[in-house]
């Protein structure tokens, strides 16, 4: 879909939705002035203004992946909580711009000018989040921001560690065993759940970033049942299987 503003949605609330390959001439390629909960926004773009995935919007447990804009490839002028931002592109603030991010994982975003991960002023709150593997000529992770209790690739005020954060991969925000982000967040969040809906804290304290690590002690055997859609078949004809995982 395409529009002047809000290519996917305009002043709407979206739950468990998908905003894919929408465009806006000005701002909000995916969403404009809305609320997104448990949503995926991917491949959206905005033109003159900003917010490839969303503009003036709030996102909870969302994934902003591979969006583009002049400013705020992922989000411009909004708030994100417990969300994953990766693979976005912009001139300024490829991940987020003029936006707050709380308990987010922002990785592998690329800005051509400033703020690979985040760009903006001190009024934006960037807290308890992971900013890593982002790139820009000025401020690979942050430009103009004042992070609080964050993990990033470059030392600055409010960055508590520059060690590799220990993510499953650049397309997966889940923490690996031994990650420095585990139990490193002293600030209770609201709502107290991560990007998967897992309760926070899962250990002695909450984890930094979008994911709350689940201990190996909580992992059990996986049971899978395959149910074919038919009882008889003909050679060369595909058969559909439904899978139930417990």
């Amino acid at each position: 879909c395409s529009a002047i503003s809000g290519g996917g949605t305009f002043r709407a609330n979206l739950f468990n939705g998908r905003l894919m390959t929408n465009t806006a001439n000005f701002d909000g390629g995916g969403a404009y002035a809305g609320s997104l909960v448990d949503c995926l926004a991917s491949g959206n773009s905005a033109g003159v203004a900003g917010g490839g995935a969303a503009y003036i919007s709030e996102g909870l447990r969302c994934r902003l992946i591979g969006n583009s804009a002049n400013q705020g490839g992922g989000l411009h002028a909004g708030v994100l909580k417990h969300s994953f931002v990766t693979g976005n592109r912009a001139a300024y603030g490829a991940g987020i711009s003029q936006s707050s991010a709380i308990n987010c994982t922002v990785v592998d975003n690329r800005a051509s000018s400033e703020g690979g991960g985040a760009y903006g002023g001190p009024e934006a709150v960037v807290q308890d989040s992971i900013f890593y593997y982002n790139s820009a000529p000025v401020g690979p992770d942050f430009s103009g921001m004042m992070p609080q209790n964050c993990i990033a690739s470059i030392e600055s005020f409010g960055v508590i560690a520059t060690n590799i954060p220990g993510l499953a991969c650049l397309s997966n925000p889940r923490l690996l065993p031994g990650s420095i982000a585990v139990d490193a967040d002293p600030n209770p969040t609201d709502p107290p759940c991560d990007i998967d809906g897992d309760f926070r804290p899962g250990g002695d304290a909450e984890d930094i970033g979008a994911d709350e690590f689940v201990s190996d002690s909580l992992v059990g055997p996986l049971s899978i049942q395959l149910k074919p859609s038919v009882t008889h078949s003909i050679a060369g004809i595909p058969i559909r299987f439904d899978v139930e995982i417990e």
Side-chain angles (χ1 to χ4, degrees), residues 10-69:
F10 187 86
R11 299 187 185 277
N13 297 327
L14 189 63
F15 299 88
N16 195 28
R18 297 166 70 90
L19 296 169
M20 312 291 288
T21 62
N22 301 287
T23 61
N25 294 335
F26 285 90
D27 37 34
Y32 179 96
S35 174
L36 308 176
V37 179
D38 296 319
C39 290
L40 167 65
S42 179
N44 304 285
S45 62
V48 177
Y55 176 74
I56 317 182
S57 299
E58 295 184 359
L60 174 64
R61 298 190 300 270
C62 289
R63 291 168 169 81
L64 311 184
I65 302 173
N67 305 281
S68 62

Side-chain angles (χ1 to χ4, degrees), residues 132-230:
Y132 225 88
Y133 306 113
N134 303 291
S135 63
V138 178
D141 289 322
F142 312 102
S143 181
M145 313 286 284
M146 296 185 66
Q148 303 172 29
N149 197 56
C150 289
I151 296 171
S153 60
I154 298 176
E155 292 184 0
S156 70
F157 179 82
V159 172
I160 64 167
T162 58
N163 309 63
I164 294 175
L167 303 176
C169 63
L170 293 182
S171 60
N172 187 340
R174 290 170 183 82
L175 300 175
L176 296 175
S179 168
I180 60 172
V182 174
D183 293 344
D185 178 5
N187 306 302
T189 55
D190 181 28
C193 56
D194 74 350
I195 192 170
D196 299 313
D198 295 329
F199 182 77
R200 291 183 185 267
D204 294 334
E206 294 186 12
D207 301 343
I208 291 177
D211 179 57
E212 187 73 11
F213 178 71
V214 178
S215 171
D216 291 342
S217 64
L218 301 179
V219 177
L222 179 66
S223 174
I224 300 177
Q225 289 186 338
L226 296 178
K227 295 182 179 180
S229 57
V230 295

